Amino acid sequence: MARSKTARNILLGIENLLLHKLRTFLTMLGVVFGVGSVVAMLSVGEGASQEALEQIRKIGSNNIIVTSIKAAEDASSSAMQANMSIYGLTYNDQIRIEETFNRIRQTVPVKMVRQECRLGERALELRVVGTLPAWFELLQRDVVAGRVLTDADIANLAGVVVLTEFGARKLLAAENTIGSTLRVGSSYFEIVGIVRSEGGLAGNIQMPDEQIDAYVPITVARERFGDIATTRSAGGYNREMVQLHQLIVEAASIDDVESVAKGIEAMLARFHKKEDYRISIPLALLRQAEATKRTFNIVLGSIAAISLLVGGIGIMNIMLASVTERTREIGVRRAIGAKRRQIISQFLIETIVLSTVGGLIGIGLGMFIPWLITYFAGMPTVVTLKSVLLSVGISVAVGMVFGLYPAVRAANVDPIVALRHE
Amino acid sequence: MHTAPGEHRNGAVIALNNVRKTYQMGSTLVHALAGVSISFYPGDFWAIMGPSGSGKSTMLNILGCLDRVTSGDYVLEGNDVSTMEDDALSDVRLRHLGFIFQSFNLIPQLTVRRNIELPLYYLGWEAERSAARAVELAGLVGLEGRLNHKPTELSGGQMQRVAIARALANDPQILLADEPTGNLDSATGDQILNILGQLNREGKTIVMVTHETHVAAHAKHCLHMRDGKIESIEEN
Ligand SMILES: Nc1ncnc2c1ncn2[C@@H]1O[C@H](COP(=O)(O)OP(=O)(O)OP(=O)(O)O)[C@@H](O)[C@H]1O
Ligand SMILES: [Mg+2]
C-alpha cells in the first residue's frame, strides 16, 4: 500500500515533468554531464590501477628485484682494471642476503650472457639467462611446450635450455623443436621447453623476462661462460665483469616486502663502494598507482563536483520558477486539504525524479566515454558497480539538496494569496 | 433559523463567537472582521453580501480554515478550529469542507477526472475507488463525457461544474463558495445556482459570497456585512 502510493507519487512527478519535455531535458543536462564525468573519471582511475595490479601480479607482488647497473662514474673510476669494468651484484651478495634476512622465502639469481646461437641453419645472437628453477615459481608463466628447468638440471650441470616464446620466435622454433640441439657459443644444449614471456613496463619496472631469449641452469652458465663478457666496440674491446645481473628476492609475505627491501638496500650500500645496483619493488608501484588514482580522483572529482553543483543550481532555479508558475495550483491543493509536507514531497519527488533520470542518462554517458577513451587512446578503463551506485546516490542527493529549498518555498505559499495569484 | 449574536446553540455546523480578524497595515490596524457571532445549521443555505471591503472574503477564508481568527472562537462540526495547527486545519479542510471559487481554480495540466480525484488523492483513496467516484460525480454535474478533457477545453460553466464535483468528492457537510457565478453569464450562472440549490436540498450546508441580489435570492438566508460586522440578516 505504502509502496504503491510512493510509486503513484513518482508517476505523478514524471507526468508533470513530461508536460515540459524540453525544459525538463535541458534542466537535466547539468546532472547528466556531472554524473557522466564522475563515472568516466572513476573508470579511468580504476582502469589505471587495475592495469598496475595486473602488471604487478606478473612481476610478483612479493618480489624485490635487485638489478646490476653500471654506475655513472664507472668509466673513469678505479674499478677499471685493464680495460675491464667490474660492477654489479656478486655471488656473495646473494649468500649474504639469504643468510641475513629470515623474512625471505627464496632468492633467484640471474646471470645474463649474450652468445651466438645456432639452431639448424639459423644463427643469431641471443640473450641467455642462467638461473634456478625457482625463477619459474617467482614469475608464473605458462609453459607452451616441454618443461622448465629442474633441480636435477642444476645439480647435474645439465646442458639443457628452455626457450622463451620470444627467443623461440627468433629461432623459428616450435613445439617440434623440443629435443633439438641449440648451440650456444661453443657449447651444445638440448632444448627441453618453451615458456611464455611478458614484455613491457609495469610503471618504471621492466618485466624481468622482457628481453630474455633462453634459460639455462645457472651452474652451467657459470661454468661455460664465466663472469667476463667481451663486447666489441668502435675503439676496440670492452670487457665487463658482472657476476649476477639480477637477483630476485621473494619476501615471506607482502607485509615483509618493504622492510626486507630496506634491509637489502642498507646491506648493499655497505658492501658496494658505488651504487651499482638498483632495487625495484613492484609493490611500490601499486602504492604509486593508488596515489595517482587518488590525485586523479581528487582533481577530476572536484571538476565533477563543480559540474554537479552547477547542474543542481540549474535544477533549483527551474524548480523555483516552477513553484512560482504553479503558485495557484499549490493554493488549490492546500485549500483542498494538502498538508505542507505533502506539497514538499510533491516538489521534492519531482526534483529527485529529474535528477535521478538525469543521473541515469549520465551513467550511460559515463560508460560510453571510457569506451571511447579505451577505443581511441588505448587507455584501460573499468566502470565498476561501485561507481555506478555512487553516481545514482549522488543524483538522488543532488535532487534532494537542490529540490528542498524550492519545495519548502512551495509549502510555505499562503493558500489565500496563492488562490488570488494570477 | 439564525441565532442572535453571542448566542450558541447545539447542532450548529458552524459557530462563530465574537470572531475578529485584524490585519496590520504599516502602523494602522485593519479590522477585516470586527466581532462576528453567528451559527449556521445543517441544511442552511447562506448568502453573504456587502460592499467591497466589508469583510466577506475574510469571513469565508476563516470559515474555510484557510485563515485563523485573531480572537474569538470558531467551532466547526464540534471541532474548535480557532486553536488548531496548520496540519490539523488541512485535515479539517480535507474532511469537512468543499470549496468553489469564482475563477474555478482547476489545475490546468490535470484532466477533469484527475481534478475531481484530487481530494481523494489526499484522503489516500486507492486509484480504482477514486476513479469510480470521479465518474459518479461527473455524472452528477452532467460531465460524464468530459472526464478525459483538460480544463482549458471546457466552457466556464463546465469548469465550474467540475469544481463543484471536486468540492463534493470528499462528501463534505459544508460547501463554501466565493462568488461562484462571478465569472459566468447569467444563464450559466443560474445552472450553477440550480445545482447548488439541489445539493442544499440533499442536505449540504452552503455558504456563498455574492454581490448580486438575484444570486443571493437562491439562498435561504442572507447576511449583510459592513465594515467587518454583521449589518443585518434577511430571510428569503
Ligand atoms: N491580507 C490582508 N492584509 C491587509 N488587509 C487585508 C488583507 N485581506 C483583507 N484585508 C482588508 O480587510 C478588509 C476586508 O477585506 P475582504 O477581502 O474580506 O473584503 P470583501 O468584502 O471580500 O471585498 P470584495 O467584495 O472587494 O471582495 C479590507 O479593508 C481589506 O483591505
Ligand atoms: Mg472578496
Side-chain angles (χ1 to χ4, degrees):
Chain A
M1 180 65 202
R3 213 185 67 216
S4 78
K5 187 138 195 216
T6 312
R8 203 163 142 206
N9 288 341
I10 291 173
L11 259 157
L12 286 173
I14 292 174
E15 250 174 57
N16 237 315
L17 290 170
L18 287 177
L19 287 174
H20 308 279
K21 292 189 187 65
L22 182 64
R23 182 163 94 183
T24 300
F25 175 71
L26 292 176
T27 310
M28 268 181 199
L29 280 184
V31 180
V32 170
F33 290 125
V35 166
S37 55
V38 168
V39 173
M41 147 209 112
L42 289 175
S43 82
V44 173
E46 190 62 36
S49 87
Q50 285 206 5
E51 188 187 38
L53 263 176
E54 172 63 14
Q55 285 169 321
I56 286 154
R57 199 187 53 74
K58 283 179 195 157
I59 302 183
S61 51
N62 284 10
N63 294 352
I64 299 159
I65 299 169
V66 191
T67 311
S68 298
I69 52 170
K70 202 167 180 173
E73 73 272 33
D74 197 57
S76 58
S77 81
S78 56
M80 289 280 275
Q81 300 175 344
N83 259 344
M84 182 159 77
S85 47
I86 304 169
Y87 66 89
L89 301 165
T90 62
Y91 301 122
N92 280 338
D93 284 333
Q94 184 190 358
I95 293 163
R96 267 196 297 269
I97 287 171
E98 275 192 336
E99 284 176 351
T100 308
F101 303 103
N102 55 2
R103 302 302 299 159
I104 284 181
R105 263 244 322 247
Q106 54 189 350
T107 62
V108 177
V110 174
K111 183 170 185 61
M112 189 185 284
V113 293
R114 288 162 171 276
Q115 291 289 331
E116 269 306 307
C117 298
R118 171 183 285 277
L119 174 68
E121 293 299 299
R122 208 166 161 78
L124 66 168
E125 192 187 76
L126 294 185
R127 291 158 173 267
V128 179
V129 158
T131 187
L132 295 174
W135 167 279
F136 302 96
E137 277 171 40
L138 293 197
L139 299 180
Q140 304 255 338
R141 305 288 185 255
D142 294 340
V143 178
V144 179
R147 63 172 178 89
V148 295
L149 299 178
T150 62
D151 289 333
D153 294 335
I154 305 294
N156 304 336
L157 296 178
V160 293
V161 61
V162 174
L163 297 176
T164 66
E165 224 181 358
F166 194 54
R169 210 171 301 137
K170 281 188 187 171
L171 288 168
L172 303 178
E175 261 175 67
N176 58 11
T177 326
I178 305 290
S180 310
T181 300
L182 178 73
R183 202 179 99 176
V184 181
S186 53
S187 315
Y188 292 89
F189 289 82
E190 183 195 349
I191 299 174
V192 294
I194 301 175
V195 293
R196 243 182 243 304
S197 51
E198 293 286 347
L201 290 172
N204 53 3
I205 305 179
Q206 203 180 40
M207 286 292 165
D209 54 341
E210 159 138 59
Q211 291 179 334
I212 295 173
D213 298 314
Y215 302 103
V216 297
I218 189 162
T219 44
V220 178
R222 278 179 77 169
E223 191 202 52
R224 308 266 171 96
F225 309 119
D227 296 331
I228 298 169
T230 309
T231 50
R232 216 176 305 205
S233 72
Y237 291 101
N238 265 338
R239 299 208 306 151
E240 285 186 348
M241 185 173 136
V242 180
Q243 294 185 353
L244 288 176
H245 290 81
Q246 209 166 50
L247 195 58
I248 301 180
V249 180
E250 187 190 11
S253 80
I254 204 153
D255 299 322
D256 297 315
V257 172
E258 272 156 338
S259 61
V260 168
K262 279 215 178 70
I264 292 174
E265 192 165 13
M267 167 186 281
L268 291 177
R270 197 140 55 85
F271 287 95
H272 288 243
K273 286 197 200 77
K274 295 164 281 123
E275 209 182 306
D276 53 359
Y277 52 86
R278 185 180 52 222
I279 300 176
S280 322
I281 315 169
L283 187 66
L285 268 183
L286 184 62
R287 299 273 147 80
Q288 197 182 318
E290 262 159 12
T292 311
K293 183 168 123 183
R294 244 190 321 275
T295 319
F296 201 80
N297 284 358
I298 289 168
V299 173
L300 289 182
S302 328
I303 295 171
I306 290 167
S307 59
L308 278 170
L309 186 72
V310 172
I313 291 170
I315 288 186
M316 178 145 84
N317 191 19
I318 294 294
M319 288 313 288
L320 283 174
S322 165
V323 168
T324 307
E325 195 184 277
R326 289 158 69 184
T327 300
R328 223 182 153 88
E329 172 188 336
I330 297 164
V332 174
R333 287 177 186 270
R334 291 281 281 134
I336 281 172
K339 297 187 175 71
R340 278 210 168 91
R341 71 181 124 81
Q342 288 173 314
I343 300 293
I344 290 184
S345 78
Q346 180 193 345
F347 278 86
L348 209 50
I349 283 173
E350 252 178 59
T351 329
I352 292 172
V353 166
L354 191 73
S355 67
T356 307
V357 172
L360 293 178
I361 298 173
I363 287 170
L365 183 73
M367 290 168 90
F368 180 61
I369 292 173
W371 182 83
L372 283 182
I373 292 175
T374 307
Y375 190 84
F376 288 107
M379 255 163 91
T381 53
V382 177
V383 177
T384 59
L385 181 67
K386 202 174 98 190
S387 73
V388 169
L389 293 180
L390 177 76
S391 303
V392 173
I394 288 176
S395 321
V396 175
V398 164
M400 296 225 292
V401 168
F402 292 95
L404 195 60
Y405 176 64
V408 169
R409 272 269 287 261
N412 285 338
V413 160
D414 178 353
I416 297 169
V417 176
L419 288 169
R420 276 203 302 259
H421 192 269
E422 280 319 304
Chain B
M1 283 297 286
H2 65 276
T3 58
E7 201 179 323
H8 255 234
R9 258 195 223 162
N10 285 336
V13 280
I14 284 174
L16 299 180
N17 184 21
N18 198 21
V19 163
R20 290 170 186 277
K21 180 69 192 179
T22 311
Y23 292 107
Q24 177 116 35
M25 292 285 282
S27 56
T28 61
L29 291 179
V30 179
H31 300 284
L33 291 181
V36 171
S37 301
I38 192 158
S39 295
F40 299 151
Y41 290 87
D44 276 1
F45 190 166
W46 284 83
I48 300 178
M49 295 193 76
S52 187
S54 57
K56 305 183 296 291
S57 293
T58 306
M59 170 97 157
L60 208 69
N61 288 339
I62 293 217
L63 291 179
C65 298
L66 291 168
D67 212 349
R68 283 208 197 79
V69 300
T70 308
S71 69
D73 300 322
Y74 173 16
V75 178
L76 187 146
E77 295 200 75
N79 308 298
D80 182 1
V81 295
S82 38
T83 56
M84 277 187 184
E85 290 301 317
D86 198 73
D87 273 5
L89 287 177
S90 290
D91 232 38
V92 170
R93 294 198 294 272
L94 184 59
R95 291 171 202 286
H96 299 273
L97 301 172
F99 288 89
I100 300 157
F101 306 94
Q102 177 176 355
S103 46
F104 323 129
N105 277 330
L106 301 177
I107 296 180
Q109 70 268 26
L110 299 184
T111 59
V112 166
R113 178 200 301 276
R114 299 281 287 277
N115 266 288
I116 297 174
E117 283 176 355
L118 212 55
L120 306 176
Y121 168 75
Y122 288 112
L123 280 169
W125 282 30
E126 277 164 43
E128 279 165 39
R129 189 171 161 222
S130 43
R133 176 91 173 128
V135 172
E136 179 195 331
L137 288 163
L140 199 72
V141 296
L143 283 175
E144 50 275 87
R146 294 279 190 272
L147 274 168
N148 294 319
H149 288 239
K150 291 280 172 72
T152 46
E153 297 158 9
L154 303 180
S155 71
Q158 288 172 328
M159 284 199 265
Q160 197 59 301
R161 280 188 273 158
V162 175
I164 292 173
R166 181 179 68 188
L168 292 173
N170 55 344
D171 195 20
Q173 170 56 229
I174 302 155
L175 288 178
L176 301 172
D178 197 349
E179 302 197 34
T181 59
N183 282 6
L184 303 173
D185 62 65
S186 60
T188 320
D190 283 344
Q191 284 178 9
I192 297 298
L193 289 166
N194 287 336
I195 295 175
L196 291 182
Q198 178 60 35
L199 289 169
N200 175 245
R201 278 190 292 282
E202 287 164 10
K204 301 283 184 211
T205 310
I206 300 176
V207 181
M208 170 180 75
V209 167
T210 182
H211 274 116
E212 294 166 274
T213 325
H214 81 270
V215 172
H218 282 80
K220 292 183 193 158
H221 322 279
C222 184
L223 186 149
H224 291 272
M225 295 193 67
R226 184 175 293 276
D227 298 333
K229 289 191 173 120
I230 297 174
E231 191 187 42
S232 65
I233 286 165
E234 202 182 316
E235 306 290 332
N236 288 339

